[in-house]
Amino acid sequence: MNSRDTMPGVHFLLLLIEHGDAAAVRQRLGIGVPEQLTDEGAAWELDRLAAPRSVQLWMLERDDPGTNRLVFHRAHVGDAVKRDILRGLPFGAATGPLPVRVDCGQPYCSHAEPDIPVSRRGLIEGLREARTMGAARTAARAVSKPDWAAVAEADRAEPLPGFARWALGVRIDCPPEVRAQFGSHPKFTKRLRDAGIVEVREYVLLGRPPRDVLAVLRLGTRLFPHRVAEAAEVLAPLVRAELGANPDAWAVLAQLLPSFAGTVPELVVTSGAVARP
C-alpha cells in the first residue's frame, strides 16, 4: 500500500466507531488521517491484493460507467461480463441501458465485443450437451444477463449437468438465487469460496487473512460503498464492544494485523482480550 497509508485495515475499522474516538486512536497510533482515494487509485491497489473475484460484481453493481470501465480493463474479467458491459446492461438496480465508456486510449487494447459462440441448438441445449468442463465453460459464456431467468427455469424443469451448473455458478454475475438452486451443501459453498465467489457477510466473517480482507473493504469505501455498508453492519457491533475507544486494544490490533492468520472477528476479539486488565 501507499507509504503514507500503511494501515488500511485499521483505517477501515476506525470508521466503525465514533469520530472523536477514532481521532484519539489515530493520534495514539501515530497514523494520521488516511488519504482520499480515487476510483483509479483504489482499483490499482485492489489489483495488488488477494481479493475475491466477487469484488468485480460489487463494483459493477454501482451501474456507473466509469466503474464499469475500470472493471472492463481488470485482469481475468471474463468475456461474458465484458460483452454485457459493452451492451450497456446494468448489473445493479438501474432499469435502463447504461452509457458505455470503456476506451482507455491504449492502441493495443481491444474494446470490441468478444466473439462468443452459441450452440446451434440454442443456449439451453448447449448447456445440456456439455459433458466436459471445457464444453461447459464455453456454453456458460454464452449466457447474458437477460438469459438467467431462462437458465433457472430450465434447471428447475430438468437439472442441468453438473459441469454446466458449476461453470454457471462461478460466473461472478450468476444471480445468488440461481447459484443457490445449483447447490447449497457446505462442500459446494466452500468450493465457491475457493473460487472467489462470496457474499459480503461471508467474506467478512470467514475471509482470511484479515490484513487483506480489511484492505479490500477499505478500498471498497470508494469502489463498492453499498457493499461496504453491509460489511460495516456486520462488524460494527463487535468492534465497538471489543475495541471501542480503548487505545491499548487498537494498539494490539495494529501489532497483530500484519501476520494474524485467523478471521477478522477473531482478530478483533483477540485484540480486545489481550488489552483487558
Side-chain angles (χ1 to χ4, degrees):
M1 302 297 289
N2 190 295
S3 60
R4 291 174 296 173
D5 187 10
T6 58
M7 304 183 76
V10 176
H11 285 314
F12 174 74
L13 290 176
L14 285 171
L15 295 174
L16 308 183
I17 65 173
E18 294 296 329
H19 179 76
D21 294 336
V25 171
R26 287 193 185 96
Q27 184 175 11
R28 165 67 183 274
L29 298 181
I31 59 175
V33 177
E35 65 182 37
Q36 292 297 311
L37 298 168
T38 64
D39 284 0
E40 291 78 7
W44 183 81
E45 293 284 4
L46 190 62
D47 283 338
R48 302 173 63 195
L49 295 171
R53 292 173 53 235
S54 289
V55 300
Q56 298 170 6
L57 177 64
W58 302 345
M59 292 170 67
L60 291 169
E61 287 172 342
R62 295 176 70 186
D63 288 334
D64 172 66
T67 304
N68 287 0
R69 179 178 61 82
L70 293 174
V71 174
F72 185 90
H73 292 287
R74 291 196 77 210
H76 310 303
V77 174
D79 284 350
V81 171
K82 288 188 174 184
R83 172 202 57 206
D84 286 358
I85 290 174
L86 290 170
R87 291 180 179 179
L89 295 177
F91 291 82
T95 57
L98 304 175
V100 178
R101 297 195 294 268
V102 299
D103 194 348
C104 63
Q106 298 298 319
Y108 301 108
C109 183
S110 174
H111 305 109
E113 182 171 312
D115 182 18
I116 300 178
V118 180
S119 170
R120 288 177 294 180
R121 298 188 60 188
L123 179 70
I124 301 301
E125 287 307 310
L127 291 167
R128 293 202 184 282
E129 291 173 347
R131 293 294 181 267
T132 67
M133 195 68 252
R137 290 194 183 103
T138 298
R141 287 171 62 212
V143 176
S144 183
K145 181 178 180 180
D147 301 321
W148 285 109
V151 169
E153 177 59 33
D155 183 71
R156 284 192 295 269
E158 179 184 347
L160 295 170
F163 285 129
R165 281 182 152 198
W166 179 252
L168 292 165
V170 294
R171 284 267 303 263
I172 63 167
D173 55 335
C174 178
E177 63 274 13
V178 178
R179 190 177 288 124
Q181 186 175 309
F182 293 154
S184 58
H185 191 278
K187 288 184 178 180
F188 180 75
T189 55
K190 183 182 184 303
R191 287 181 65 201
L192 287 173
R193 282 199 304 274
D194 292 343
I197 303 298
V198 292
E199 292 297 324
V200 172
R201 181 181 181 85
E202 181 182 24
Y203 183 54
V204 168
L205 295 178
L206 301 178
R208 300 167 185 258
R211 178 188 65 250
D212 287 348
V213 174
L214 294 173
V216 168
L217 294 175
R218 158 75 176 140
L219 298 173
T221 60
R222 184 75 191 194
L223 296 174
F224 40 92
H226 62 298
R227 290 293 196 167
V228 168
E230 295 178 32
E233 287 183 6
V234 174
L235 285 176
L238 183 66
V239 170
R240 292 167 185 165
E242 296 292 335
L243 305 177
N246 182 352
D248 291 335
W250 285 95
V252 171
L253 183 139
Q255 187 174 17
L256 293 177
L257 181 58
S259 59
F260 195 84
T263 64
V264 173
E266 290 168 348
L267 170 67
V268 172
V269 170
T270 300
S271 300
V274 170
R276 289 192 191 99

